[in-house]
Amino acid sequence: MPELPEVEVVRRGLARWAADRTVETVQVLHPRAVRRHTAGAADFAARLKGRKLGEPHRRGKYLWLPVTEEAALLAHLGMSGQFLIRPATAPPETHLRVRLTFADADGTDLRFVDQRTFGGLSIQDTVPGDPEGLPQALAHIARDPLDPEFDEDAFHKALRRKRTTVKRALLDQSLISGVGNIYADEALWRSKLHYERPTAGLTRPRTAELVRHIREVMGDALAAGGTSFDSMYVNVNGESGYFDRSLDAYGREDLPCRRCGTPIRRRAWMNRSSYFCPRCQPVPRAAS
């Protein structure tokens, strides 16, 4: 699943190549791609046609582009969704789901390609008066650690109240958004915290250290263009990221910890996997 850095890379690409362009035509080539637009594909196309796409924004793993003062084009990439800028004359991709053409002479169009069709697009009403045109569907999602308005003190207090374990908390989008399985493992490794560490015992300095490492991991991933394990994770120009080559924990089962040399372990966790160093990140007593 794409995480915050991958989605931010796409947002930056859309800001450069799609913002301030007027939609001329809309082709919906697969109904599942707009299933979250409950009025249907024809209404989706009609509400976009002739509209100028605004500056793209992101909340966690969601993207949106305002199209009016009251509505926005909302996108979730799901497992394999991609936004691609392509020459208008380029042949359609195998899994092309939605295509937008523009009323200008640039000669490119915007394509939403999604092999597994878990992602999707919709037109959503926005929160009244929100300066970024936040879709109402995202109002419950917390800000992410790269957001200038992320409240670190409020996050710490929420962790203490939640009485859960630290990795579960990092994946709870109502507490902190944009952190998925890969970057949670990476931040926990850098923080020397086991994924089953109870949040109730985290001190304010420990929370600050964890947030700092989350920001560092995401910043490093952004600099590399995101994490690419296959051809599905690409930016709007179809280029893959390279941060997977710098991962310290995730996907490194039985390889030596880069800090102490102990083999990295993998454990099944909530239908996923957790990777950790058993020496640097000892199991908390309650969990053991």
Side-chain angles (χ1 to χ4, degrees):
M1 183 75 74
E3 299 186 30
L4 184 155
E6 288 76 37
V7 179
E8 175 62 15
V9 167
V10 174
R11 188 203 67 78
R12 293 178 182 183
L14 291 174
R16 178 178 179 184
W17 297 101
D20 296 322
R21 299 181 71 183
T22 299
V23 177
E24 183 171 45
T25 65
V26 180
Q27 294 176 289
V28 178
L29 303 172
H30 196 297
R32 273 186 58 83
V34 295
R35 66 191 179 280
R36 294 181 180 89
H37 188 86
T38 55
D43 182 79
F44 173 83
R47 292 185 66 182
L48 269 184
K49 185 177 179 180
R51 298 293 185 182
K52 179 181 287 188
L53 299 181
E55 182 72 17
H57 299 282
R58 176 186 51 73
R59 178 67 62 92
K61 304 174 188 180
Y62 289 87
L63 288 165
W64 73 92
L65 298 92
V67 293
T68 69
E69 292 185 358
E70 296 84 25
L73 172 61
L74 175 62
H76 189 265
L77 300 181
M79 293 291 290
S80 58
Q82 304 171 10
F83 274 116
L84 299 175
I85 295 292
R86 288 287 188 253
T89 56
E93 291 74 13
T94 302
H95 303 291
L96 177 62
R97 307 306 185 194
V98 179
R99 179 185 179 190
L100 307 185
T101 66
F102 296 104
D104 54 44
D106 183 75
T108 60
D109 54 30
L110 178 62
R111 304 180 183 190
F112 183 70
V113 178
D114 191 359
Q115 177 178 332
R116 298 172 182 170
T117 63
F118 291 159
L121 309 178
S122 61
I123 305 297
Q124 298 283 337
D125 293 337
T126 58
V127 175
D130 186 89
E132 295 181 344
L134 176 71
Q136 294 181 14
L138 306 186
H140 68 288
I141 297 178
R143 294 185 180 272
D144 64 68
L146 299 184
D147 190 318
E149 296 188 34
F150 178 78
D151 190 332
E152 194 171 312
D153 185 60
F155 174 61
H156 172 67
K157 292 176 180 177
L159 287 181
R160 300 275 294 188
R161 290 193 306 268
K162 195 71 173 179
R163 297 194 176 277
T164 183
T165 53
V166 65
K167 186 172 178 180
R168 287 175 184 266
L170 292 182
L171 271 61
D172 184 341
Q173 300 288 292
S174 69
L175 294 177
I176 184 172
S177 66
V179 183
N181 202 44
I182 297 174
Y183 297 116
D185 281 357
E186 291 299 296
L188 291 171
W189 181 87
R190 294 191 186 195
S191 303
K192 298 183 180 180
L193 287 172
H194 190 275
Y195 59 90
E196 293 287 7
R197 174 75 175 267
T199 58
L202 291 177
T203 63
R204 184 68 180 80
R206 204 74 169 99
T207 299
E209 181 184 11
L210 175 59
V211 171
R212 175 170 60 83
H213 285 305
I214 293 171
R215 287 172 172 150
E216 289 175 352
V217 167
M218 290 183 169
D220 291 345
L222 276 172
T227 307
S228 296
F229 289 99
D230 57 40
S231 60
M232 295 180 185
Y233 305 122
V234 299
N235 64 19
V236 295
N237 292 316
E239 298 167 344
S240 296
Y242 294 95
F243 188 62
D244 59 301
R245 301 176 187 179
S246 303
L247 294 173
D248 292 308
Y250 188 88
R252 300 192 70 246
E253 183 180 12
D254 295 330
L255 294 175
C257 171
R258 301 189 197 276
R259 199 162 37 215
C260 72
T262 303
I264 295 291
R265 291 183 183 173
R266 179 182 65 85
R267 293 289 182 267
W269 182 83
M270 293 182 61
N271 297 319
R272 300 179 176 94
S273 292
S274 281
Y275 295 86
F276 68 103
C277 171
R279 182 175 180 182
C280 298
Q281 301 166 266
V283 180
R285 291 180 182 178
S288 59

